[in-house]
Amino acid sequence: MSRLILQSASLKENMDTKTSTGKAMFQMMCVIAELERNLIAERVKEGLEASKKRGKTLGRPKLDKEKLTVALRMYDSKEYSVKEIVSATGISQGSLYRAINRRKLGEIN
């Protein structure tokens, strides 16, 4: 990394990396940015752990298998449109298409 020669000059902050002072200031800004990124990551991790301890379930809610089965049966009957299936079962259109595609892949393999 030290072999790469990159020189820049910021007109707004009046910092020039061609000079020793400019290089030092740039390195300090990089260190502070890395520190801030690490602190944010630590806070997020601590927040997730605290939520787990309080009994919160994290992530997306599980898709109701019964609703998905009903939706696939409705789709297979060819009597209902996708919009009708989505409104009747309460699952999303994306979940329905994902289930259809998974089933097709399962039939092929």
Side-chain angles (χ1 to χ4, degrees), residues 13 15 23-35:
E13 286 83 18
M15 183 174 60
K23 287 179 190 175
M25 285 299 296
F26 185 74
Q27 289 174 349
M28 283 186 247
M29 287 174 33
C30 289
V31 167
I32 291 170
E34 184 178 359
L35 172 67

Side-chain angles (χ1 to χ4, degrees), residues 3 11 13-14 22 46 49 60 68 76 93 95 98 100 103 108:
R3 294 191 185 271
L11 300 175
E13 286 83 18
N14 198 15
E46 289 170 0
E49 288 174 2
R60 285 181 172 254
L68 186 60
D76 291 338
Q93 185 175 341
S95 295
R98 208 170 14 259
I100 293 167
R103 191 173 62 174
I108 293 171

